[in-house]
């Protein structure tokens, strides 16, 4: 498998993370991995729904400890383009 692609949407709020995800996933090839990091709690709902609706595989989803720099929780998603 090739190196994963990375999308940083930290600091953005709905709907921006999903809009950026939509653009980013179009640019990669089927089967490639895209890692997304967000600080928007609604991403925990929106990104899994995005994957289901558009046929991508949500390989992993994690809630990371609070980031010391900005005191926000980081939500991390590993998505394989369908």
């Amino acid at each position: 498998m090739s190196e994963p692609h990375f999308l940083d949407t930290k600091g953005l709020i709905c709907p921006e993370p999903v809009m950026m995800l939509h653009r980013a996933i179009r640019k990669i090839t089927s089967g490639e991995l895209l890692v997304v990091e967000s600080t928007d709690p609604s991403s925990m709902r929106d990104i899994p729904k995005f994957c289901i609706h558009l046929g991508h595989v949500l390989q992993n989803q994690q809630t990371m400890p609070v980031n010391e720099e900005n005191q926000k929780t980081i939500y991390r998603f590993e998505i394989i383009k369908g």
Side-chain angles (χ1 to χ4, degrees), residues 28-58:
I28 67 174
T29 304
S30 289
E32 289 188 315
L33 177 66
L34 176 62
V35 177
V36 181
E37 288 189 354
S38 175
T39 51
D40 183 7
S42 65
S43 294
M44 292 293 286
R45 175 197 64 227
D46 296 342
I47 291 178
K49 284 184 177 181
F50 170 89
C51 292
I52 290 167
H53 183 69
L54 294 175
H56 305 300
V57 177
L58 181 56

Side-chain angles (χ1 to χ4, degrees), residues 37-80:
E37 288 189 354
S38 175
T39 51
D40 183 7
S42 65
S43 294
M44 292 293 286
R45 175 197 64 227
D46 296 342
I47 291 178
K49 284 184 177 181
F50 170 89
C51 292
I52 290 167
H53 183 69
L54 294 175
H56 305 300
V57 177
L58 181 56
Q59 178 176 287
N60 191 16
Q61 175 178 334
Q62 312 177 251
T63 301
M64 311 292 277
V66 172
N67 180 302
E68 295 299 321
E69 182 181 316
N70 63 15
Q71 296 298 304
K72 292 190 177 189
T73 300
I74 296 175
Y75 308 100
R76 182 181 171 98
F77 305 88
E78 295 178 7
I79 302 165
I80 298 173

